Amino acid sequence: METPQLSSLYQQLILEHYRNPRNKAELEEKTVEIHMANPVCGDEIRLQLRIEGTRIEDVKFLGSGCSISQASVSMMTVRLKGSNLDQADELAKRFTDMMHGDESAAKEKSLGDLRALQGVSKFPVRIKCALLGFDALQEALKKEAGVVEEGPT
Amino acid sequence: MSIEDFDPIRIRKDFPALDQTVHGRPLAYLDNAATSQKPRAVLDVLSEYYEKDNANVHRGIHELSRRATVAFEAAREKVASWINASSAAECVWTRGTTEAINLVATAWGLDHVSEGDEILISVMEHHSNIVPWQLLAARTGATLKYIEIDDEGRLVLDGLEALLTERTKIVSISDVSNSLGTINPVKTIVDASRAVGAIVMVDGAQGIVHTKVDVQDLGCDFYAFGGHKMCGPTGVGVLWGRLELLEAMAPFQGGGEMIQIVGRDKSSWAAVPHKFEAGTPNIAGAIGLGAAVDYLSKIGTKAISIHENELMAYAMEQLSLIPGLRIFGPSSLDDRSAVISFTMGDAHPHDISTILDTEGVAIRAGHHCAQLVMKHFGVPATARASFYLYSTREDVDRLVKGLDQVAVIFS
Ligand SMILES: Cc1ncc(COP(=O)(O)O)c(C=O)c1O
């Protein structure tokens, strides 16, 4: 296998989010919470959202793990705040595409700081770390959809 | 081989997997506590078996079946004398350490442990020496109790007499910790457990690799280990048990090989060890483990452990010079096997491992199947470098150089 470049993985922006994570706190008045762990390595997060109607009013997280998992969640929360559920779903899809090597996804402005994580796609064993937060998000969206479907219309 | 003749550089030539480059750098394999590499002598025996003698064991009259059976049972004899068992019948082939512990927790446990009884293990155990006992406790209503560990990762044995009661049915403890490298005083624990009439099981997954094991001298009742950390193949291990205990136990799994006569409603069992070996066993694996025992016997456990101790002294000294590096486990090398668990500043162990990997240095990062240990030290994970007979000072230097790189990235 070609040797991947460490410099593409450990970008300053990633280390900066790792050390100063955004939105890392307990969310008061959350409407949905997902606990997600990677049992292989012990990375762990609790993603908390306050969803009103179809809009994500607020989002925070708690947890611990490697620089990639923690930076990824931090960047994700920044993008999520104020977006609607469809946009959140699209963000998760595009980010996952980028992790699986889709170059066009990596150019999308909607991903914001998350584009700095493109280099992770060259480190197959670390892709799971980057996806931890998005896996939690997709769980949360599923749960939310379930609530909507089951509720009276 | 005499101790003076021991030469890791020459030994490395016996291990084909060590001779490769990873990401353009020569491989420095420092993940031996997870699994060891295999010498040519073992690989040859495996392919020779499949090329010439492959047949099912204890089931055929034909020549190939005879040869396979002879080799399979000869491997059992080798393993038995390697650990000084009184007879080969005391050595049951299993899939590995994990299955050996589950065998005891199930076949012995369900018949001897009941509500209100106690099972004693320790906080430093591998998950495979915790979860089977949790399952047994849940099934029987027994209580699972723990020996705590101190800040250097040693068992706290001051209160051992208080932890052991007449309700303690079994004590299960590792002789060497995989996450910290701590060497435990098994004999002390055996003596104290005997005093209350408890059975003692030893998880020897790591101990068998680094120390000379004499099960009779240890005085325990069961000893479990696997082949893959001691130059043998994966998927094969051994449960050693005292003959009278094994004979009195019910079977673990049912199937071919383990029966004497099968009736419509009831069957009778084969003699030990076959009673515990239902189904076609890992024949090649067992024969390969026998070859690993031959290989290690030729080199000598003593020479290997002297080499590992020298290397550990060097590694501990070099690593302790790195700013921000915290080493877990006993500070005294006498209480420590060839494992160094560490963290470094705010660089997460996964990040350390990824950075080292690009330098061709293979270490383990994570909780090492010892989440209770991680919790004790208040860390989510550690990085772990572990050494074996073929490890060299150069490997240690490569590790240190890789850690310099970690310091640069996480500066
Ligand atoms: C102390 C200890 N116990 C048990 C095990 C489990 O061994 P296996 O997974 O080979 O069954 C290991 C290996 O990881 C170990 O280090």
Side-chain angles (χ1 to χ4, degrees):
Chain A
M1 205 180 92
E2 195 193 327
T3 303
Q5 288 299 312
L6 276 181
S7 53
S8 72
L9 184 64
Y10 292 111
Q11 300 205 3
Q12 277 313 314
L13 196 55
I14 294 174
L15 294 174
E16 203 269 319
H17 271 272
Y18 174 52
R19 288 187 169 137
N20 305 297
R22 320 293 195 271
N23 303 309
K24 189 169 177 181
E26 182 81 37
L27 178 63
E28 307 295 331
E29 299 171 42
K30 54 191 170 255
T31 57
V32 53
E33 174 174 49
I34 300 292
H35 181 212
M36 191 64 68
N38 181 348
V40 181
C41 49
D43 283 0
E44 195 173 347
I45 59 154
R46 279 198 290 143
L47 183 68
Q48 306 173 331
L49 300 136
R50 187 168 77 247
I51 299 171
E52 281 165 21
T54 58
R55 197 177 131 88
I56 297 172
E57 292 297 333
D58 205 356
V59 50
K60 294 203 186 314
F61 79 101
L62 295 166
S64 67
C66 65
S67 63
I68 305 300
S69 72
Q70 301 302 298
S72 170
V73 187
S74 167
M75 292 169 176
M76 179 185 84
T77 59
V78 172
R79 301 309 297 172
L80 285 180
K81 220 180 263 194
S83 65
N84 66 39
L85 297 181
D86 288 344
Q87 288 168 324
D89 188 47
E90 187 59 22
L91 184 74
K93 288 209 177 90
R94 292 310 275 158
F95 184 80
T96 308
D97 290 344
M98 183 174 84
M99 283 302 106
H100 294 139
D102 183 337
E103 302 272 340
S104 73
K107 293 199 179 77
E108 245 163 68
K109 286 221 165 59
S110 65
L111 287 178
D113 285 357
L114 286 163
R115 283 173 297 183
L117 287 159
Q118 191 200 356
V120 179
S121 66
K122 302 280 188 315
F123 291 79
V125 295
R126 302 303 296 278
I127 292 173
K128 254 187 160 155
C129 306
L131 288 175
L132 187 67
F134 285 94
D135 289 345
L137 174 63
Q138 281 179 321
E139 273 303 303
L141 295 176
K142 248 190 253 160
K143 211 166 158 181
E144 195 62 22
V147 169
V148 173
E149 276 161 26
E150 282 158 21
T153 44
Chain B
M1 187 186 290
S2 75
I3 290 163
E4 296 76 45
D5 289 342
F6 185 91
D7 176 9
I9 307 291
R10 222 168 54 220
I11 284 173
R12 290 177 78 82
K13 296 195 167 61
D14 296 339
F15 291 79
L18 294 176
D19 183 24
Q20 63 175 301
T21 56
V22 169
H23 302 312
R25 313 283 164 91
L27 170 65
Y29 184 78
L30 298 179
D31 193 16
N32 293 286
T35 198
S36 75
Q37 297 302 341
K38 322 301 173 201
R40 174 69 67 195
V42 169
L43 302 176
D44 285 349
V45 162
L46 290 176
S47 59
E48 208 170 300
Y49 163 75
Y50 279 122
E51 283 172 21
K52 296 194 184 127
D53 303 331
N54 177 48
N56 216 324
V57 289
H58 299 297
R59 286 183 190 181
I61 304 295
H62 61 80
E63 173 62 12
L64 265 57
S65 174
R66 186 196 64 81
R67 291 207 298 253
T69 306
V70 167
F72 181 71
E73 291 304 327
R76 196 192 303 272
E77 297 279 349
K78 285 175 192 177
V79 163
S81 73
W82 172 248
I83 60 171
N84 195 32
S86 352
S87 83
E90 293 186 329
C91 295
V92 177
W93 294 120
T94 66
R95 211 154 53 77
T97 305
T98 304
E99 191 178 60
I101 297 172
N102 277 281
L103 194 165
V104 174
T106 308
W108 186 87
L110 289 176
D111 279 343
H112 293 87
V113 176
S114 41
E115 193 169 349
D117 284 343
E118 293 168 3
I119 302 160
L120 183 63
I121 60 174
S122 92
V123 169
M124 77 166 69
E125 300 313 310
H126 187 282
H127 295 165
S128 69
N129 196 27
I130 297 176
V131 183
W133 306 113
Q134 289 176 339
L135 292 172
L136 176 63
R139 280 178 197 161
T140 57
T143 307
L144 187 56
K145 289 167 78 176
Y146 286 88
I147 302 174
E148 297 298 327
I149 56 176
D150 66 18
D151 290 344
E152 283 210 355
R154 290 194 185 84
L155 294 177
V156 178
L157 294 176
D158 285 351
L160 184 60
E161 269 75 28
L163 281 172
L164 288 163
T165 72
E166 71 279 6
R167 305 275 349 218
T168 312
K169 285 286 155 12
I170 188 160
V171 177
S172 189
I173 215 87
S174 51
D175 48 2
V176 171
S177 150
N178 69 310
S179 56
L180 299 162
T182 317
I183 299 171
N184 291 323
V186 171
K187 277 193 189 184
T188 308
I189 296 167
V190 169
D191 290 344
S193 307
R194 282 267 173 277
V196 298
I199 291 286
V200 182
M201 164 145 218
V202 177
D203 170 355
Q206 298 290 337
I208 194 81
V209 185
H210 303 289
T211 54
K212 180 79 199 119
V213 172
D214 178 331
V215 288
Q216 298 190 56
D217 181 55
L218 267 183
C220 57
D221 300 288
F222 295 107
Y223 190 95
F225 65 96
H228 68 92
K229 294 181 206 280
M230 51 171 282
C231 298
T234 52
V236 68
V238 175
L239 170 70
W240 170 84
R242 284 185 193 285
L243 195 61
E244 60 277 18
L245 283 173
L246 292 175
E247 282 175 341
M249 275 158 67
F252 175 45
Q253 295 174 331
E257 217 88 70
M258 53 77 71
I259 47 85
Q260 201 166 34
I261 294 165
V262 173
R264 281 189 178 234
D265 300 319
K266 268 207 315 228
S267 301
S268 58
W269 317 133
V272 292
H274 308 291
K275 179 169 74 177
F276 298 106
E277 295 175 357
T280 300
N282 184 350
I283 304 165
I287 294 170
L289 179 50
V293 166
D294 286 341
Y295 178 80
L296 292 170
S297 306
K298 241 181 257 162
I299 294 170
T301 317
K302 186 86 198 148
I304 296 172
S305 85
I306 290 173
H307 167 68
E308 288 174 349
N309 287 345
E310 280 172 9
L311 203 57
M312 273 297 284
Y314 179 66
M316 292 281 274
E317 180 193 297
Q318 293 297 308
L319 289 189
S320 60
L321 297 174
I322 297 174
L325 194 132
R326 174 184 176 198
I327 295 175
F328 298 84
S331 52
S332 154
L333 285 176
D334 295 339
D335 301 341
R336 192 190 253 276
S337 143
V339 168
I340 306 183
S341 258
F342 62 94
T343 55
M344 193 173 156
D346 71 350
H348 192 279
H350 291 172
D351 294 314
I352 296 176
S353 182
T354 292
I355 294 166
L356 291 174
D357 184 48
T358 59
E359 301 276 322
V361 179
I363 62 152
R364 174 87 183 265
H367 50 60
H368 318 293
C369 297
Q371 290 184 2
L372 300 186
V373 172
M374 300 298 117
K375 202 160 180 200
H376 174 85
F377 288 105
V379 292
T382 68
R384 181 186 71 186
S386 50
F387 309 103
Y388 201 16
L389 74 164
Y390 42 65
S391 307
T392 60
R393 280 182 172 234
E394 196 194 331
D395 290 332
V396 176
D397 294 340
R398 297 273 310 285
L399 171 66
V400 170
K401 212 170 131 257
L403 292 173
D404 289 346
Q405 183 72 11
V406 173
V408 170
I409 291 172
F410 281 84
S411 61

